[in-house]
Amino acid sequence: MTNYHFCVPPTLQTDFNFSKLLKTLFKRSCNILRDKKIIAGLFLLGCIGSTVKAQISPPGLGEANTAFWSAFGVKRQLDSLGKKQSLSYIAVGRKSSPDNDNPFSKQAIFVLNHEVYHSFAQHQQYSYAISYRRQPVYESSAPYEKEGLEQEIRLYGRYDYSFDLGKKWTLKNTIRQEFRKFFDPNFHAVEESFQLRTRIKSQLTYKLSSKNNQKLALSAEGLFSISYLNDPEPQWTKFGYREMRLGLYYMFAIPNSPFTMDIGYVDDLIRNSHSIAKGGVHYLAADVIWNLPYKKK
């Protein structure tokens, strides 16, 4: 019998260290954000401009060092004027354990989402959405094994106001209000009954080239919430700041196709978490969107 020996190149091994790459990207993006006045300005500005199409941003995935998020969406024009659109997507996320840096180590989340947008006035847009999320729950100490599963039904609405800063720069400010209802695997009550969460985000986009509609986007988002608990006794938590998400994305249209693609890096800074001492949870993210034109019925 012949024995075959296979050599796996180091670049294909699953245990290679992603954190160095992610932290390098984080440091470079922080060089842009190191002036606190820039971040403050992103949240305070808002006057005139045009709507910017956004990427499918990753959700929070809890304690980890690194994570990976991927999504596939279908965007459909709902009217001949281009003022109404819908976006439906399916997405999965994976993450590392707190004791390693492999972002593909374990399953983190499964998402189904449907959102309808309406550009009702110049530079202004609102949307409403429904989402289903299924997220494993892991032990908080080593060996970090899976100990349960949590389901979530989410309803949310958002309002966007954007304006141009010259010919190449666009700033979009967004406020988003969410209602999040939680269940166990059998749709029974869990410790946290529901949550009301407010998200405030600003995104600065730079048009790199008209060829393939290439853009760079830099974003900062603050998340604030209040929850109603079932256990240990029914009560409300205090409303307060929970986390900050910083993002850097490259967006482009795939040539000779109806598809667009977004590739990015996100740093999730969760208040009072173990990961924040290491600079947050570092994400690599990618999504593909299939753009469908309006068809008259």
Side-chain angles (χ1 to χ4, degrees):
M1 180 180 293
T2 304
N3 292 324
Y4 296 94
H5 299 278
F6 297 91
C7 180
V8 180
T11 55
L12 296 180
Q13 294 178 0
T14 58
D15 288 332
F16 58 85
N17 193 332
F18 278 83
S19 63
K20 292 182 180 179
L21 171 63
L22 295 175
K23 290 175 182 177
T24 299
L25 289 171
F26 173 64
K27 289 179 181 178
R28 290 180 180 177
S29 62
C30 281
N31 287 336
I32 301 173
L33 288 171
R34 63 178 179 268
D35 188 345
K36 294 181 180 179
K37 293 181 181 179
I38 295 178
I39 298 178
L42 288 176
F43 284 99
L44 295 175
L45 289 173
C47 289
I48 55 174
S50 59
T51 301
V52 180
K53 294 180 175 62
Q55 65 284 346
I56 301 174
S57 300
L61 300 178
E63 283 286 4
N65 293 324
T66 61
F68 178 75
W69 163 260
S70 61
F72 176 77
V74 177
K75 180 178 287 185
R76 183 185 297 273
Q77 296 291 336
L78 300 180
D79 67 348
S80 59
L81 298 177
K83 292 186 176 182
K84 296 180 180 179
Q85 301 173 328
S86 69
L87 173 62
S88 303
Y89 70 83
I90 182 171
V92 294
R94 299 192 68 85
K95 67 178 182 178
S96 71
S97 292
D99 59 353
N100 68 59
D101 294 316
N102 181 359
F104 304 103
S105 178
K106 55 189 181 183
Q107 178 66 24
I109 198 169
F110 170 78
V111 178
L112 291 173
N113 204 93
H114 180 70
E115 188 165 4
V116 177
Y117 302 83
H118 183 202
S119 299
F120 65 95
Q122 189 177 18
H123 319 308
Q124 299 183 72
Q125 182 184 73
Y126 71 82
S127 68
Y128 50 90
I130 184 170
S131 183
Y132 168 74
R133 293 155 191 253
R134 189 177 179 91
Q135 197 162 358
V137 178
Y138 295 96
E139 295 174 346
S140 58
S141 58
Y144 307 107
E145 297 292 337
K146 180 179 176 180
E147 64 176 0
L149 185 72
E150 185 173 82
Q151 300 187 96
E152 176 189 342
I153 300 294
R154 180 181 301 185
L155 302 174
Y156 66 87
R158 72 170 113 202
Y159 168 77
D160 300 328
Y161 200 112
S162 60
F163 60 98
D164 296 329
L165 302 173
K167 294 182 178 180
K168 288 185 173 290
W169 296 90
T170 304
L171 179 65
K172 181 172 72 171
N173 300 293
T174 302
I175 183 167
R176 168 169 158 170
Q177 185 61 49
E178 300 177 338
F179 172 79
R180 308 172 66 199
K181 177 63 178 175
F182 305 104
F183 305 92
D184 71 5
N186 298 314
F187 286 96
H188 296 149
V190 293
E191 180 179 344
E192 185 177 9
S193 178
F194 63 87
Q195 182 186 88
L196 301 176
R197 186 164 70 175
T198 301
R199 301 169 60 163
I200 301 173
K201 179 178 180 179
S202 285
Q203 179 168 294
L204 186 64
T205 302
Y206 177 72
K207 298 176 183 177
L208 289 172
S209 173
S210 58
K211 182 179 180 180
N212 301 327
N213 197 24
Q214 298 177 72
K215 298 177 183 178
L216 276 179
L218 183 66
S219 65
E221 182 177 30
L223 292 84
F224 308 81
S225 67
I226 183 173
S227 297
Y228 184 76
L229 306 180
N230 288 318
D231 294 320
E233 61 182 29
Q235 61 179 315
W236 287 94
T237 63
K238 291 183 178 180
F239 179 80
Y241 164 76
R242 305 302 177 201
E243 59 188 286
M244 171 72 75
R245 296 175 188 169
L246 305 176
L248 181 63
Y249 266 83
Y250 170 59
M251 304 175 288
F252 62 96
I254 298 175
N256 304 314
S257 79
F259 298 98
T260 54
M261 187 170 187
D262 309 309
I263 301 172
Y265 162 77
V266 174
D267 185 29
D268 190 9
L269 300 165
I270 307 170
R271 184 182 181 187
N272 298 327
S273 66
H274 295 294
S275 60
I276 199 169
K278 301 178 182 179
V281 183
H282 304 280
Y283 292 68
L284 282 177
D287 64 73
V288 175
I289 298 176
W290 184 10
N291 298 281
L292 299 178
Y294 170 71
K295 287 188 177 181
K296 188 175 181 180
K297 296 181 180 179

